Amino acid sequence: MSTAEAAPETAEAQDPGHRSKSSSPRQIPVIGVVAEDEEMQGVFKPMDLNRVIKLLEENDEDDLEEKQLKSVKKLVRYYQNGLPLRDLAQIFKILNLCAGKIENQPCFIEPAYDILKLCGLPFLKKKVSDEITYAEDTANSVALLGELMKIPSSELRIQICKCIIDFYHSEPPKKHIPGYQQASSSYKIKMAEVGGLAKTMVQSMILLENQLVEKLWVLKVLQHLSTSEANCTLMVKAQAASKICAHLNDTDPSGQLLFRSSEILWNLLEKSSKEEIIQQLSNLECLLALKKVFKNLFMRGFSHYDRQLRNDILVITTIIAQNPGAPMIECGFTRDLILFATFNEVKSQNPLVKGLKLSNSYEDFELKKLLFNIIVILCKDLPTVQLLIDGKVVLALFTYVKRPEKHKIIEWSVAQHEELQLHAIATLSSVAPLLIEEYMSCQGNARVLAFLEWCESEDPFFSHGNSFHGTGGRGNKFAQMRYSLRLLRAMVYLEDETVNTDLCEKGTIQQLIGIFKNMISKSNEKEEAIVLEIQSDILLILSGLCEHHIQRKEIFGTEGVDIILHVMKADPKKFQSGLGYSVLLFSTLDSIWCCILGCYPSEDYFLEKEGIFLLLDILALNQKKFCNLILGIMVEFCDNPKTAAHVNAWRGKKGQTAASLLIKLWRTEEKELGVKRDKNGKIVDFENLPGLSAEDFITLCIIHRYLDFKIQGTHKQRELANKSWENFLARTSNAKILKKAKRLQEKAIESSKYNEQPQNAIYHRTVIRGLNTTVPSGRVVTVESTPVRLLGGPLADTDIALKKLPIRGGALQRVKTVKTVDETKKSIPS
């Protein structure tokens, strides 16, 4: 009870000489006096809470109910300015006792309600240490609020929710209480986390299936509680995400349910385990609910708020779609999303989009980008491919891959259209490799090359470069070129011969070399990073096209070699600048391997332009990430007899030779591997390995002598080859040996035949009569004859020899094609 309220009662009680108006012409006011020690105690004079608890626990007196209600009302008046932490546990016990009587004595609803209102008041501490001393009691008391949600009283449930929400909007006490101060503003919130209040509030939602008002209040509470990571973790354990999502479509004229539910889902995704949330939402019930909400907002939402909410739902759906196990296709959501993403570009008769049109508002623009983004995620699930084909996604995306058309009215602003164009090309890089037939049927290669031609042209174009995809492309077409090349690179790396052949027939190699040369002249420091990326992609595309194809390497030719040499001549310091030079050098080395090696004219030109010197210069930088690739290239180049002279002629810093450089690299490698040597330089730790058995040591000896066994195996192979050649010469120079070999061959043939022949079967001879050879014969054969210079002419004719067969003199030479006079006869050696 406050001092102000206590004062009138004190005056009335302490004024025995008080006179009425009738006995005195004047009414003299009498003011009660409060002792100094009472004022120091404030309003919190000792109150026997244990007596109240004992009274509530009794049940045998006749007028007990009235006494109980009176005692609780007195308690409410007593603590109307705040609850001391020291009394909190007893006050909540009284609240719990009142709540327990409600079922049989509804009159206790009002006192329970009044106590709950007190819980929204500040918690008061007398000492600084009270927050720690009474922490456990406070946490248990706050947790009781969630348990009280089981009471089937709408009034109490709403008051509980209001009380918890007040935790987040604390106000100072209405009246200063001497000797007490308010607990810290975050104390109640912290105690709610410790007590697990969030979990019990989630569990209470099952009691409110058909109670919209209470449900909205609980969602408001959970919206506040979900701002903390600790509470979000508790809510996830109570399956909050799936429970909330499943009820998104519950009837709610106010629209609060959908708004608050989406906010809670967002908080859970941001402040708890995203993987766990995705798992909870990856079920048919939740996805059907999200699908219905999104479709309603997409087709019928016209306000700024509706569009924002629609986009939020789509982002949540995008996160769920990252889970391959989410039944996006099964619930029909994938098909609808593809339709919504493409209906503007590819006309559809589907009633869902009939009459629909997106505006150029910020929300609709964001929606379009989000739809492109979710297509990229959905296409990672291979069963989606057929839906992408049905939805004509590739064709829809290609509507953006073209030069701007003058005087054409578009629904987007110039900046918006540019960003969507870049986003569409980036999306194609993920989708098109899965839909090669659709890509080719749309003339994808021709469209991209034509767009690249425009990117390289001098047509005026003032790009805004505001978006993520437009980075580095402000005022130029570099961003468009970058994403077009990424698309080409993705298609070339499929190694689909139809795609790559089509590209080469359309002059892609020459076009890309020309673009690379122009980029050299256009580049400046501001745009250096994006230029380097473009050049790297060009080289990677050229590598993919030319690898294993000599004709394409010849088309690459000297112009291609020149752009490679240009990169290799760059300042070595740039390779460590972090601007993309390292990636460019990797691409350059790869293109040497794929576009030059194996094509002798290009190899010779590379050598002539001191390419080997440049390779050794880079190798001398001792950049480990490049060493293996450069050494591999050097090994391949050494097949060219002209290479050795260039390697021997190279000189590095301080006159270092190639041999010295290679030895230095060997030592560096040994040092990194920790190879140990003795005083004579002999390697001493091959065998110094712990934990080996006797069998392991035997195997280790074999490993140790591996190269010796390899040299021995090579000798054995050579011996077998020599023996085979000697047998061949013996058969050609000694008739007896030839006849013996012939008999052995015939015997082997006969033994391989099936002995039992079916009746009435026709038998065909497989051996040609008069054929003096011991090797299998066919229409095209390899002729190994004695040189003409030794015998003076062709070998003796056989009985079925064909005199018009061409003969090429010399042993071990090959005849590529042999045409016979009579195609019905088999060719034989001359």
Side-chain angles (χ1 to χ4, degrees), residues 347-443:
K347 300 305 176 185
S348 172
Q349 300 302 318
N350 193 305
L352 286 177
V353 294
K354 189 175 181 180
L356 275 180
K357 190 175 181 181
L358 297 178
S359 68
N360 62 354
S361 66
Y362 174 78
E363 290 78 21
D364 282 357
F365 174 59
E366 287 297 312
L367 171 70
K368 192 68 177 178
K369 293 192 294 181
L370 287 171
L371 287 169
F372 283 169
N373 184 56
I374 199 169
I375 284 177
V376 173
I377 293 170
L378 291 173
C379 74
K380 295 176 182 177
D381 187 16
L382 290 181
T384 307
V385 170
Q386 186 57 49
L387 297 179
L388 295 173
I389 295 171
D390 297 341
K392 300 180 180 179
V393 171
V394 173
L395 179 61
L397 294 171
F398 262 123
T399 59
Y400 292 90
V401 189
K402 58 185 179 182
R403 66 179 65 205
E405 299 178 27
K406 295 181 180 179
H407 310 298
K408 182 181 178 181
I409 300 174
I410 57 174
E411 59 270 26
W412 308 107
S413 69
V414 176
Q416 286 176 334
H417 185 267
E418 178 196 352
E419 188 169 347
L420 288 177
Q421 182 184 64
L422 295 172
H423 210 130
I425 301 172
T427 304
L428 271 172
S429 299
S430 298
V431 175
L434 301 172
L435 307 173
I436 297 176
E437 290 184 12
E438 283 62 38
Y439 175 84
M440 296 302 292
S441 66
C442 291
Q443 297 294 316

Side-chain angles (χ1 to χ4, degrees), residues 708-719:
D708 294 336
F709 290 126
K710 186 77 174 175
I711 292 163
Q712 183 178 350
T714 303
H715 282 305
K716 184 176 287 187
Q717 291 295 327
R718 287 177 181 172
E719 289 172 5

Side-chain angles (χ1 to χ4, degrees), residues 797 801-807 818-822 830:
D797 294 340
L802 302 176
K803 295 182 179 179
K804 293 187 178 180
L805 282 177
I807 298 172
V818 178
K819 296 182 180 179
T820 62
V821 175
D822 185 356
S830 299

Side-chain angles (χ1 to χ4, degrees), residues 21 25 32 49 60 65 70 102 179 202 209 215 282 305 312 325 328 340 411 433 514 558 614 619 770 788 803:
K21 187 174 181 180
L49 293 175
D60 54 354
E65 183 178 288
K70 188 174 181 181
I102 289 175
V202 171
E209 291 289 337
K215 189 186 295 184
S282 296
Y305 164 75
D312 288 345
M328 292 288 294
F340 293 144
E411 59 270 26
T558 57
L614 295 173
L619 188 63
V788 177
K803 295 182 179 179

Side-chain angles (χ1 to χ4, degrees), residues 94 133 143 214 255 281 295 401 416 495 516 625 636 674 728 741:
I94 292 169
T133 304
E214 292 96 306
L281 298 177
K295 284 172 67 174
V401 189
Q416 286 176 334
E495 297 184 358
F516 194 102
K625 53 189 174 184
E636 293 296 323
F728 174 75

Side-chain angles (χ1 to χ4, degrees), residues 7 78 214 512 529 698-699 748:
Y78 188 78
E214 292 96 306
L512 292 179
I698 294 171
T699 307

Side-chain angles (χ1 to χ4, degrees), residues 117-177:
K117 287 181 70 175
L118 294 179
C119 296
L121 297 174
F123 286 176
L124 304 174
K125 59 183 178 181
K126 198 164 189 180
K127 301 177 182 177
V128 176
S129 61
D130 281 359
E131 290 188 7
I132 299 173
T133 304
Y134 301 105
E136 185 177 353
D137 289 344
T138 306
N140 293 334
S141 300
V142 172
L144 182 63
L145 294 175
E147 298 294 334
L148 294 177
M149 288 294 292
K150 297 176 182 177
I151 301 172
S153 167
S154 175
E155 187 180 12
L156 285 181
R157 286 171 174 170
I158 292 173
Q159 184 55 45
I160 291 169
C161 293
K162 288 180 178 179
C163 172
I164 297 170
I165 292 169
D166 285 340
F167 290 1
Y168 294 84
H169 307 283
S170 59
E171 296 180 0
K174 296 178 181 178
K175 184 175 182 180
H176 176 66
I177 300 158

